[in-house]
Amino acid sequence: MTYSRIAGTGSYLPQKILSNADLERLVDTTDEWIFARTGIRQRHIASEGECSSDLALHASEQAILAAGIDRHQIDLIIVATTTPDRIFPSTACLLQHKLAIAGCPAFDIQAVCSGFVYALATADQFIKSGAAKCALVVGAETISRITDYSDRSNCILWGDGAGAVILQAGEEPGIISSHLHADGKYNELLCVSGGVSQKESKPAIQTEGNAVFKIAENTLDAIVDETLGANGMEKAHIDWLVPHQANIRIIQATAKKLGMGMDRVVLTVDRHGNTSAASIPLALAVAVRDGRIKRGATILMEAFGGGFTWGSVLIKY
Ligand code: UT7
């Protein structure tokens, strides 16, 4: 039996920081409100001309180095992004070119904040089936480009960044299981106004935050049960929760469900904000780099996002 395992992680954050104090100058809000309701203090913002593929490149180079592979070994590239550089070619193809490799399949996945979980689960299927041996899986976002900085209901949430992993074939897991879901009937609760087919001159995120919040909390509660149940595991078997970083109160609810102290939850939302598809690989890379996550740890990753989409990946690191 072939499994896939994470061989290396990488991350990148643009230099510019947008603090809550900066946002106080843009909209009617306060640092106290933002921090109390979301757990966010600051987020990073890509500079003009810096695109999702540029952020993805930095994160990928770090992951390649950490995995100790030659980039030419990569035989699959998947980029999860809601904010591709262009409508086409895919950001994955642009990244492939920037990495100066060619030939392997490269494509984007669009599942908004659940994008990285979807991408990791997809790469896992390629590896398990023998179609790939060494995949580069990236979450990269310049979500600031579709943020309306006059809309206080959600402009305080978003940040830019990228995270990447190298996923390699191995004889032991690795990825233990993945669980993906979607329900399009909720599409209007968290969406971008228009796009290509449905024309809109300046697309921007619109959300009914409180409704999204409640559904996210309940749905993530259920995905914990589904993931543990599918593997006959107990809550105590999970060493680390690496959640999508949307809102600290949602993360606290999932940790409570798992009976976990917050000291076993990787939190980046305070410094990164919600970086959509990039948030999980960014958080994973941070905790691997600072030594908290070690080889052999059992990690639950979970996410919820526009669509709605949601999912989890359970791994032995
Ligand atoms: O990553 C994908 C999934 N996304 C999520 O899961 C996001 C889920 N939603 C959230 O994180 C939260 O719902 C928000 C942070 C977006 C909003 O927090 P909330 O506690 O749900 O606030 P609310 O929308 O219920 O608004 C409460 C009050 C309202 O005022 P009134 O009607 O009580 O007078 C809002 O007008 O807070 C007001 N408000 C603000 N006040 C200061 C809304 N935005 C702001 C703001 N600053 N930025």
Side-chain angles (χ1 to χ4, degrees):
M1 176 90 184
T2 303
Y3 296 96
S4 56
R5 60 175 282 277
I6 293 178
T9 64
S11 64
Y12 180 77
L13 291 160
Q15 271 185 350
K16 185 183 163 193
I17 288 175
L18 184 69
S19 67
N20 289 352
D22 295 329
L23 283 167
E24 285 177 359
R25 288 186 278 277
L26 295 175
V27 287
D28 180 15
T29 194
T30 59
D31 172 48
E32 291 73 26
W33 191 96
I34 299 171
F35 188 67
R37 300 289 178 127
T38 68
I40 302 169
R41 287 279 190 212
Q42 62 167 53
R43 61 294 284 147
H44 291 250
I45 303 293
S47 60
E48 219 182 306
E50 196 175 28
C51 294
S52 295
S53 67
D54 299 312
L55 311 190
L57 177 64
H58 290 297
S60 300
E61 284 178 331
Q62 210 180 75
I64 290 165
L65 201 66
I69 60 154
D70 182 318
R71 63 182 63 197
H72 294 99
Q73 284 174 253
I74 294 169
D75 57 6
L76 172 67
I77 300 175
I78 306 181
V79 176
T81 186
T82 312
T83 46
D85 293 24
R86 303 178 186 180
I87 293 163
F88 74 85
S90 70
T91 304
C93 283
L94 300 176
L95 174 64
Q96 186 195 46
H97 181 60
K98 286 180 181 178
L99 282 167
I101 54 179
C104 70
F107 59 90
D108 289 359
I109 278 185
Q110 158 59 308
V112 203
C113 297
S114 311
F116 184 75
V117 163
Y118 267 63
L120 202 58
T122 305
D124 180 47
Q125 296 300 326
F126 270 76
I127 289 181
K128 275 193 196 145
S129 72
K133 285 194 165 49
C134 183
L136 169 62
V137 187
V138 186
E141 299 282 15
T142 45
I143 207 100
S144 61
R145 301 276 154 73
I146 51 168
T147 299
D148 174 357
Y149 286 99
S150 66
D151 180 358
R152 73 171 185 170
S153 75
N154 74 81
C155 74
I156 46 121
L157 298 173
W158 312 106
D160 299 337
V165 302
I166 294 290
L167 204 62
Q168 276 189 307
E171 279 163 20
E172 285 172 29
I175 293 185
I176 300 166
S177 71
S178 55
H179 309 268
L180 303 181
H181 299 281
D183 190 342
K185 78 167 172 279
Y186 296 108
N187 68 83
E188 296 283 353
L189 291 184
L190 176 56
C191 63
V192 165
S193 51
V196 182
S197 181
Q198 195 179 322
K199 285 189 179 174
E200 172 70 46
S201 56
K202 199 164 181 340
I205 301 171
Q206 298 172 345
T207 181
E208 289 179 38
N210 200 262
V212 177
F213 185 97
K214 287 177 185 149
I215 300 171
E217 214 174 30
N218 291 334
T219 306
L220 292 172
D221 188 279
I223 201 95
V224 167
D225 286 335
E226 181 184 341
T227 312
L228 293 175
N231 295 288
M233 285 173 81
E234 304 289 330
K235 295 171 186 174
H237 292 138
I238 309 292
D239 298 314
W240 286 98
L241 176 64
V242 183
H244 168 51
Q245 312 278 325
N247 185 313
I248 194 163
R249 293 182 292 141
I250 297 175
I251 297 172
Q252 283 165 339
T254 310
K256 193 170 166 205
K257 165 82 181 175
L258 280 162
M260 257 185 180
M262 290 303 284
D263 56 333
R264 288 200 286 141
V265 179
V266 181
L267 273 185
T268 53
V269 70
D270 55 333
R271 288 158 290 148
H272 301 175
N274 181 346
T275 58
S276 190
S279 89
I280 290 179
L282 263 166
L284 180 68
V286 165
V288 167
R289 284 271 167 319
D290 68 23
R292 275 179 292 167
I293 290 187
K294 297 192 178 15
R295 285 285 168 205
T298 302
I299 305 171
L300 177 65
M301 305 179 197
E302 45 78 357
F304 181 90
F308 289 146
T309 56
W310 65 99
S312 67
V313 179
L314 184 68
I315 68 163
K316 181 75 93 182
Y317 181 67

